[in-house]
Amino acid sequence: MTGVDRIFSRPMVALLRKEFLEAWRDRRALWMAICFSLLFPVLLAASTIFFVKKHTEESTRLVLLGGEDVPLLAQQLRGASLEVDVVAEAEPRQLLADGYDLVLQVEEGFVEAYRQFRTPKLYLYVDSSSASAGRAERHLQERLGQLQQLIAGQRLAARGVAPQLLAPWQLQVRDVSTPSSRGTLILAMVPGLLILTLFVASLATSVDTSAGERERLSLETLLLQPLPGWQLIAAKTLAVASMGWLGALLAVGALVALMPLMPLAELGIQQATTTSGVIIMGLLLLPLALLVAVVQILLALRSQSFKDAQTQLSILQLAPVTLLMALDMSRVELSEPFWQLVPLVGQQQWLKSLLVGDAVSVALVLAGSLVSLLLVAVAIACGSRALRRESLLGAV
């Protein structure tokens, strides 16, 4: 009997049917996969909308205390994102408690000192415990700095002195970043969350099909059947991977569907992901889904009990996100072809590129996917050997 005949033999087909039926009939595992897969795209879209609205629509409320004598200052400070109210007398602490972000108090005798070209004082009161205080203070400092430069230039020009004498050079910042590069920075967390979805969506099924069957004594019945151990592990891997892959596909689809609602254009990002991009991302995640599934099954088989397996795999699912976040935060250069061959890292880089419309190397994608599939084969072989141990059934 050839290898293909063994894979598609009647006992193997019956085993696959049994594993898939048990996996997909578990409503608890199915709902866990669906809910988590849809949760993070919704949270990401909501947080992006909130972030943009907070920084584009929210204005700073400023009180100019004692500013009735300097109406020009209030007029110059007012703008689309800076509301200025002039108050003759009040307690700065009370004004901040009433909802104002900043209180700018004009020194007594400000007008006279200003006319005599002295340096009158402005007192800025701020509540540093407020979440919006830092942003409001930076906004006011920027507006005051611009106004101060304008007045200094006017004074020099009135006396026949060129303002350029005080500015030996002029710095102009020109951003050469592309929408794709800005998108990579902002959407950096998305690939890690998609990979986390694989772990979470397949967790319950992997524990139930390994440690759960061992406690229910149904695993012993399977081991008594005339089936090679690798077929048993392979069938369970395919069933568990189907659940994790479903979760990843739902997450990708929900994310792309919510992108039109997200203010990406205001952040300088162009939505480049299309339906074909979703299909490609799903195919890229398939080898990783198989690798995640077989690793979870092997760890669950090595555990002492069902609860022990749940605990170990719950800790395991945090490892990939922690690793990928550490690589991003440490700014490790991942452009070398070697990194494309490393599972998790390669998929992260491919997903980043596809989300913002960059091209990916087909050769590196095939090579990286082949490495993942080879690791799956090695893990299945290790699992087949583990099934021969008599101590496996006595691990409960």
Side-chain angles (χ1 to χ4, degrees):
M1 181 179 294
T2 63
V4 177
D5 293 334
R6 289 182 180 179
I7 294 175
F8 295 100
S9 62
R10 292 184 61 183
M12 183 61 178
V13 172
L15 179 61
L16 284 172
R17 185 173 179 272
K18 173 257 181 190
E19 294 295 340
F20 274 90
L21 281 177
E22 289 188 352
W24 288 89
R25 282 190 304 189
D26 189 349
R27 295 184 177 180
R28 180 178 62 87
L30 185 60
W31 278 111
M32 178 185 295
I34 293 175
C35 292
F36 185 84
S37 302
L38 299 179
L39 177 63
F40 97 79
V42 173
L43 292 179
L44 180 63
S47 61
T48 304
I49 294 172
F50 174 78
F51 173 81
V52 172
K53 286 188 174 182
K54 184 176 180 64
H55 286 78
T56 59
E57 298 180 3
E58 185 176 355
S59 60
T60 300
R61 299 187 62 197
L62 170 69
V63 172
L64 191 58
L65 190 58
E68 65 278 358
D69 295 330
V70 286
L72 183 60
L73 178 61
Q75 180 181 351
Q76 292 292 330
L77 289 177
R78 283 193 181 97
S81 58
L82 184 59
E83 301 177 6
V84 180
D85 294 332
V86 179
V87 177
E89 292 183 3
E91 176 64 28
R93 188 184 299 273
Q94 184 60 41
L95 291 172
L96 292 173
D98 290 341
Y100 287 99
D101 298 312
L102 301 171
V103 175
L104 186 63
Q105 185 177 16
V106 179
E107 182 186 29
E108 189 174 346
F110 182 93
V111 176
E112 184 65 24
Y114 179 84
R115 289 174 178 174
Q116 295 179 6
F117 300 104
R118 295 199 300 270
T119 309
K121 294 180 181 179
L122 293 173
Y123 301 98
L124 178 61
Y125 293 88
V126 58
D127 183 5
S128 58
S129 62
S130 175
S132 59
R135 177 192 57 82
E137 183 178 358
R138 289 191 299 271
H139 189 191
L140 179 61
Q141 293 281 11
E142 181 180 351
R143 296 293 292 272
L144 286 174
Q146 295 174 356
L147 183 58
Q148 193 174 36
Q149 290 181 0
L150 176 63
I151 295 174
Q154 291 175 346
R155 287 180 173 180
L156 291 173
R159 285 158 177 77
V161 179
Q164 292 81 359
L165 294 176
L166 298 180
W169 56 74
Q170 186 179 17
L171 177 64
Q172 293 184 352
V173 179
R174 297 181 178 180
D175 190 358
V176 297
S177 64
T178 62
S180 296
S181 62
R182 292 193 294 269
T184 302
L185 181 62
I186 296 175
L187 299 177
M189 70 179 73
V190 174
L193 292 175
L194 290 176
I195 293 173
L196 176 63
T197 303
L198 288 176
F199 284 80
V200 177
S202 60
L203 178 121
T205 306
S206 62
V207 174
D208 184 72
T209 196
S210 52
E213 286 195 355
R214 185 178 59 196
E215 291 192 359
R216 294 191 301 266
L217 302 181
S218 58
L219 181 61
E220 182 178 1
T221 304
L222 287 176
L223 293 176
L224 294 176
Q225 302 301 316
L227 288 171
W230 69 265
Q231 289 187 351
L232 183 60
I233 297 296
K236 291 182 178 296
T237 299
L238 291 174
V240 173
S242 67
M243 188 68 68
W245 196 43
L246 167 71
L249 290 179
L250 286 177
V252 172
L255 179 64
V256 175
L258 291 173
M259 274 188 174
L261 304 178
M262 301 165 61
L264 299 179
E266 299 182 27
L267 296 174
I269 306 174
Q270 295 177 350
Q271 181 186 350
T273 307
T274 59
T275 304
S276 60
V278 175
I279 297 175
I280 294 174
M281 282 190 280
L283 294 176
L284 291 179
L285 288 172
L286 181 55
L288 184 61
L290 293 170
L291 182 59
V292 169
V294 70
V295 170
Q296 288 181 329
I297 291 172
L298 294 183
L299 288 178
L301 286 175
R302 290 176 57 88
S303 62
Q304 298 299 318
S305 63
F306 185 88
K307 292 184 177 180
D308 183 38
Q310 283 184 320
T311 302
Q312 291 186 22
L313 295 187
S314 298
I315 298 174
L316 171 68
Q317 68 188 14
L318 299 177
V321 179
T322 305
L323 171 63
L324 297 178
M325 289 181 61
L327 290 175
D328 281 336
M329 295 178 64
S330 59
R331 300 184 181 275
V332 176
E333 185 63 37
L334 303 177
S335 59
E336 295 295 330
F338 164 76
W339 290 105
Q340 307 285 320
L341 305 179
V342 179
L344 296 179
V345 179
Q347 280 81 5
Q348 181 200 35
Q349 299 305 308
W350 302 333
L351 292 175
K352 276 185 181 181
S353 300
L354 290 173
L355 283 171
V356 296
D358 285 347
V360 294
S361 173
V362 178
L364 288 177
V365 168
L366 293 177
S369 300
L370 182 61
V371 170
S372 298
L373 293 177
L374 288 176
L375 291 176
V376 171
V378 172
I380 290 177
C382 294
S384 176
R385 295 184 60 183
L387 292 178
R388 301 173 189 170
R389 298 199 313 266
E390 295 182 1
S391 59
L392 176 67
L393 297 178
V396 180

